[in-house]
Amino acid sequence: MTIAITGATGKIGGAVARALAADGTPFRMVVRDAARAPELPGTEVAVATYADADAARAAFADVDVLFLVSGAEARDRLDQHRTVIRAAADAGVRHVVYTSFQGAAADATFTLGRDHFWTEQAIRDTSMAHTFLRDSFYLDFVEDLVGEDGVIRGPADDGAMAAVARADVARVATAVLREPTRHLDRTYDLTGPAAITLTQAAAVVSEVRGRPVSYHRESLEEAYASRQRWQPEPWQADAWVSTYTAIADGSLAKVSGDVERVTGRPPMTLRQVLEARGA
């Protein structure tokens, strides 16, 4: 069985690559820049982007199982996904393990969740088997929401999210890649152990970091206005704001036991993520 991993220069793909290399599992890393690929024993490196069908087909030659990490946020990300999926199918890949999003749907409140839904459909439309890892928001990102003034601002109201640690997503992906036939055509919702509000999240960050952190509820109008200083394109502004509205409407509040079912270990809490991250 030949495994290919995309995103090996990133957080999740890199963690999966290191875990498999530690096991002595051979695999191929498919990266945009070979100079940035981690140096790991027993690995091959191929260069391709999701938008380059010819390079992707060559990179996926003789690959049985592909770990497809979703591409960077971009206006054309769905087109890139469709291109790389077609290339994988043309190259003879038999099984795609894809990092999707919890509650992926054509009308998902979180606008980027719609891209994930249509990406899943593109994979289903091929003859390839699939495993969809539907990640919630990342617990690792919570601290990054805190402004310089120690305030998290957004229209999340009192909604809760069952956010998950990147490390747990990587552990699930690694387990799937070690025994892919056990996970054929399965969809896993990857969440943390509890749904937390941003008020609760702020309190945990405050306690762990030893500085005051709080949550301020914005209206939709305030949310769009406050983000204009970064001059986002409309699609990006919608994505940023819908991060919070998806929390507000309960889209991400469902807690799943899939992390523990697949890995045998309970998922990390926000406190554990912050402590592991260090100061």
Side-chain angles (χ1 to χ4, degrees):
M1 181 182 67
T2 301
I3 297 172
I5 295 176
T6 68
T9 59
K11 299 289 188 182
I12 292 176
V16 172
R18 289 190 296 273
L20 291 180
D23 282 350
T25 301
F27 59 90
R28 181 180 306 160
M29 292 181 286
V30 180
V31 297
R32 289 176 294 179
D33 180 358
R36 294 183 58 214
E39 294 185 10
L40 297 170
T43 63
E44 304 172 15
V45 177
V47 176
T49 67
Y50 289 178
D52 187 336
D54 291 338
R57 275 193 295 272
F60 300 149
D62 303 318
V63 167
D64 300 299
V65 181
L66 169 64
F67 180 47
L68 183 65
V69 177
S70 57
E73 294 179 8
R75 178 193 294 275
D76 67 342
R77 178 166 71 165
L78 179 56
D79 289 336
Q80 292 182 42
H81 284 180
R82 286 170 168 158
T83 296
V84 75
I85 289 163
R86 286 194 296 269
D90 290 345
V93 173
R94 295 186 295 173
H95 182 182
V96 176
V97 181
Y98 172 63
T99 57
S100 187
F101 184 73
Q102 184 184 18
D107 59 351
T109 302
F110 179 51
T111 55
L112 299 184
R114 303 169 193 175
D115 286 353
H116 288 290
F117 171 79
W118 291 114
T119 299
E120 288 184 4
Q121 293 304 112
I123 294 171
R124 291 181 191 275
D125 287 343
T126 71
S127 60
M128 297 183 292
H130 68 265
T131 306
F132 296 143
L133 309 182
R134 287 185 166 184
D135 313 339
S136 183
F137 288 140
Y138 295 135
L139 284 170
D140 313 68
F141 184 62
V142 169
E143 190 171 20
D144 299 330
L145 299 176
V146 182
E148 293 180 0
D149 58 356
V151 180
I152 299 173
R153 288 182 168 84
D157 298 334
D158 294 320
M161 59 177 179
V164 66
R166 283 195 185 104
D168 286 322
V169 175
R171 279 192 280 269
V172 171
T174 301
V176 170
L177 292 172
R178 283 172 177 155
E179 298 183 280
T181 57
R182 294 185 56 189
H183 307 279
L184 289 175
D185 297 331
R186 299 289 300 273
T187 297
Y188 297 116
D189 287 331
L190 305 186
T191 75
I196 57 174
T197 67
L198 289 183
T199 298
Q200 292 169 324
V204 173
V205 176
S206 182
E207 183 178 345
V208 173
R209 295 299 181 225
R211 62 187 177 93
V213 176
S214 61
Y215 166 59
H216 172 73
R217 293 172 58 172
E218 287 183 312
S219 67
L220 279 176
E221 294 76 15
E222 289 171 333
Y224 277 100
S226 66
R227 286 153 180 78
Q228 283 308 304
R229 58 178 167 158
W230 292 292
Q231 299 182 319
E233 294 183 53
W235 71 267
Q236 183 71 78
D238 289 341
W240 288 348
V241 173
S242 66
T243 299
Y244 296 90
T245 55
I247 297 171
D249 73 3
S251 298
L252 302 171
K254 182 179 178 182
V255 176
S256 162
D258 284 346
V259 168
E260 186 165 7
R261 274 190 283 272
V262 175
T263 68
R265 294 173 54 183
M268 298 173 72
T269 65
L270 175 59
R271 180 180 300 277
Q272 290 171 323
V273 168
L274 293 172
E275 291 173 345
R277 190 176 190 179

